[in-house]
Amino acid sequence: MSISRAIDKLNEMIAGAVSWALLIAVIICTGNALVRYTFNLSSNSWLEIQWYLFAAVFMLAAAHTLKRDEHVRIDVVTSHFSKRTQVWIDLFGYLLFLLPVCLIVIYYGIPFARYSINTAEMSSSAGGLIVWPVKLLVPFGFVLLLLQAFSEIIKRIEFLAGRIDGHEFAKHVTTPEQEIEAIKSANQL
């Protein structure tokens, strides 16, 4: 569990830092739109930096999203199963799907980024930026996702072995009926 906690902490720190990139992207987007419509000026660099920042948020926060158990799931189906069965489904999904996909993207993403770095690749847009930083996000983001997958696997194995109670990895599991009630309550506010 100490390895799992260290991975969780790493991804929490990265997600906290990356959350600022989203704010910066919104500020740049707003400023760029104001300048474009007020002064009829525009720059591809400003558009590309927005894309780069969004890519950073998306790629670097994916592992944190997995840690918080907030990826798209099939809760409508699995909510009818016992907690133990849900954990087995998670474990199966991580081992059979998530780990191989992460490894494949890392395997192909490293040469993809390395080529961009070695050639000092630039955007083909007029006034565009260097491309390698955003391409480097692909393997780096998937390494973080792979690490988080290992953390989640450790937690599920510990749960199945009876050494933890599951609160470390499961957000509150609800039935579809409970979800509907929560939505109705929120709409009444």
Side-chain angles (χ1 to χ4, degrees), residues 159-171:
F159 173 81
L160 292 170
R163 290 189 281 269
I164 62 173
D165 64 7
H167 78 277
E168 292 85 355
F169 61 84
K171 61 182 180 181

Side-chain angles (χ1 to χ4, degrees), residues 104-168:
I104 289 168
V105 173
I106 292 166
Y107 178 79
Y108 287 106
I110 290 173
F112 173 72
R114 187 181 314 129
Y115 176 80
S116 185
I117 293 168
N118 291 341
T119 61
E121 185 177 4
M122 295 290 292
S123 169
S124 60
S125 299
L129 303 174
I130 56 174
V131 176
W132 67 262
V134 77
K135 286 190 174 182
L136 193 58
L137 289 172
V138 173
F140 188 65
F142 274 89
V143 165
L144 293 174
L145 190 58
L146 180 69
L147 288 172
Q148 193 60 48
F150 282 129
S151 174
E152 299 306 311
I153 289 168
I154 290 168
K155 293 172 198 171
R156 268 72 177 174
I157 291 171
E158 291 292 306
F159 173 81
L160 292 170
R163 290 189 281 269
I164 62 173
D165 64 7
H167 78 277
E168 292 85 355

Side-chain angles (χ1 to χ4, degrees), residues 30-46:
T30 304
N32 192 32
L34 289 172
V35 168
R36 185 173 59 242
Y37 292 114
T38 305
F39 302 109
N40 200 24
L41 295 172
S42 185
S43 167
N44 287 334
S45 297
W46 288 109

Side-chain angles (χ1 to χ4, degrees), residues 76-97:
V76 171
V77 175
T78 60
S79 64
H80 298 290
F81 298 137
S82 70
K83 176 80 165 171
R84 193 166 185 79
T85 302
Q86 291 176 13
V87 168
W88 275 110
I89 292 170
D90 283 349
L91 198 53
F92 175 77
Y94 293 147
L95 293 172
L96 194 65
F97 299 107

Side-chain angles (χ1 to χ4, degrees), residues 18-89:
V18 137
S19 67
W20 288 100
L22 187 58
L23 175 63
I24 294 167
V26 169
I27 291 169
I28 290 172
C29 179
T30 304
N32 192 32
L34 289 172
V35 168
R36 185 173 59 242
Y37 292 114
T38 305
F39 302 109
N40 200 24
L41 295 172
S42 185
S43 167
N44 287 334
S45 297
W46 288 109
L47 292 173
E48 287 186 11
I49 197 69
Q50 291 171 69
W51 301 337
Y52 288 14
L53 290 167
F54 180 74
V57 170
F58 183 80
M59 293 303 300
L60 301 179
H64 181 257
T65 304
L66 179 62
K67 178 198 172 291
R68 293 180 51 126
D69 197 26
E70 292 182 353
H71 280 279
V72 175
R73 302 177 55 92
I74 52 171
D75 289 339
V76 171
V77 175
T78 60
S79 64
H80 298 290
F81 298 137
S82 70
K83 176 80 165 171
R84 193 166 185 79
T85 302
Q86 291 176 13
V87 168
W88 275 110
I89 292 170

